[in-house]
Amino acid sequence: MKVLAATDGSKYGRWAIEWLGQLPFVTRPVVRVLHVIDVAALRAPFMIQPVIVGTERYLRAEIKRMEATAKATKEQSAALLASLGLRGTVTVERGGVAATIVKHARRGVGLLSIGSRGRDALDRFMLGSISTHAIHHAACSVLVVKEAPRPLKQLVLAVDGSPASDKAVRFLLRHMNPVPDGPEREPITVTVVHVMPFLKYPELREAGRAVAQRYADKMAKAGFQVQEAMRLGKPADEILTVAKQHKAELIVTGAKGLGAIGRVLLGSVSTRVVHHAACSVLVVR
């Protein structure tokens, strides 16, 4: 699988690469690391003129700083790929960060790995908005990295019976080993979460249990350790609660849900989960 890792040189960008070495892929991915120099970011969106009006010398200094950061990031990323045993390349491009990342995420890429935050206060805001932009607009699945990589032992799989949930399950079955390499050699535990609103109709609850059971059976057959969590309430809140209770390293969810309304609902659910989860989140498309 071809993977794009977006980095800005921060620890979050580094983690986005390191997660690719930690995840138990069936086949080691080919990674392209991308760093974007966005000179236009020096212009504040609420001003007609550049932020530092009339200080051309300061602008040149900032561009020089950005180019130095890009050079250092490229060297560090290449060394990191080598240390992780990952094949790949590191490239630097100019342009709008979000648009450039999304553009490259369409070229036969199966997964985009991106940090949830950036280098400093302004960059954290910008990269946070960029990761949100990515989960809505990238043509591939998106891994939003929240923390340094840990061995994957507990995974929460959020399902609703939609084609998007089917894709999420297929992604795991196709690309992830149920038993990671290592001294312990224990299967990954997958908690299948299906959340339903508070309903009085028992037949709907039974249908929900059947949905969860169907996915659980597929994961168990592939060799994962599986447990089910049927919940009533608001989907995003319940998914986050289950992930916290099980100390999950990763939450996996589809990008869209059932039907026109469902697509909006699950889209908002995945966005809320990405924003509020303590662990990393994989949104499968």
Side-chain angles (χ1 to χ4, degrees):
M1 176 171 59
K2 293 182 179 179
V3 176
L4 178 69
T7 182
D8 64 345
S10 69
K11 64 180 181 181
Y12 290 91
R14 185 176 70 253
W15 292 343
I17 302 170
E18 291 176 341
W19 262 90
L20 301 177
Q22 182 67 62
L23 287 172
F25 288 110
V26 172
T27 303
R28 299 286 275 180
V30 177
V31 182
R32 181 182 185 188
V33 179
L34 176 66
H35 178 82
V36 183
I37 299 176
D38 187 1
V39 176
L42 295 175
R43 182 186 295 272
F46 47 84
M47 298 181 67
I48 298 176
Q49 298 297 323
V51 178
I52 49 298
V53 179
T55 56
E56 184 65 27
R57 184 175 62 181
Y58 187 82
L59 276 173
R60 289 198 300 268
E62 282 298 294
I63 293 173
K64 187 176 181 180
R65 179 189 65 82
M66 295 168 74
E67 290 174 340
T69 297
K71 181 179 179 181
T73 299
K74 183 175 182 178
E75 293 173 352
Q76 292 164 5
S77 298
L80 184 55
L81 285 178
S83 69
L84 294 170
L86 294 172
R87 294 184 296 123
T89 58
V90 184
T91 58
V92 176
E93 289 207 10
R94 291 177 178 266
V97 178
T100 302
I101 291 172
V102 168
K103 178 184 71 176
H104 286 281
R106 291 175 178 169
R107 297 178 180 177
V109 173
L111 177 66
L112 164 64
S113 182
I114 187 171
S116 62
R117 295 184 179 184
R119 296 178 63 87
D120 53 32
L122 177 60
D123 287 338
R124 281 199 297 273
F125 169 77
M126 291 178 63
L127 191 55
S129 66
I130 290 165
S131 60
T132 300
H133 184 87
I135 64 175
H136 287 293
H137 298 286
C140 63
S141 300
V142 180
L143 172 65
V144 180
V145 172
K146 297 292 194 81
E147 58 183 358
R150 296 179 284 158
L152 186 56
K153 297 181 179 179
Q154 296 284 340
L155 184 154
V156 168
L157 172 62
V159 299
D160 67 349
S162 68
S165 293
D166 294 340
K167 289 181 180 179
V169 171
R170 284 199 299 270
F171 185 96
L172 292 175
L173 296 179
R174 182 180 303 166
H175 297 297
M176 299 292 175
N177 278 315
V179 183
D181 293 332
E184 297 180 359
R185 297 289 296 172
E186 293 183 358
I188 297 170
T189 298
V190 177
T191 301
V192 180
V193 183
H194 181 60
V195 185
M196 300 186 66
F198 293 99
L199 297 172
K200 297 181 180 179
Y201 305 102
E203 60 270 22
L204 292 179
R205 294 187 184 182
E206 287 302 318
R209 290 190 182 93
V211 167
Q213 184 66 54
R214 174 161 57 89
Y215 292 116
D217 289 345
K218 288 183 178 181
M219 300 303 293
K221 185 177 180 181
F224 292 90
Q225 186 73 35
V226 179
Q227 52 192 12
E228 298 173 35
M230 289 294 302
R231 294 299 185 107
L232 297 176
K234 296 180 179 179
D237 293 343
E238 294 302 324
I239 293 167
L240 292 169
T241 297
V242 171
K244 183 177 180 179
Q245 290 174 343
H246 291 268
K247 298 180 180 179
E249 291 85 29
L250 182 66
I251 299 172
V252 180
T253 180
K256 297 179 180 179
L258 287 165
I261 296 178
R263 282 197 296 273
V264 174
L265 289 175
L266 190 56
S268 64
V269 169
S270 59
T271 301
R272 179 171 172 78
V273 169
V274 167
H275 284 173
H276 297 283
C279 63
S280 298
V281 181
L282 171 61
V283 180
V284 177
R285 181 168 280 105

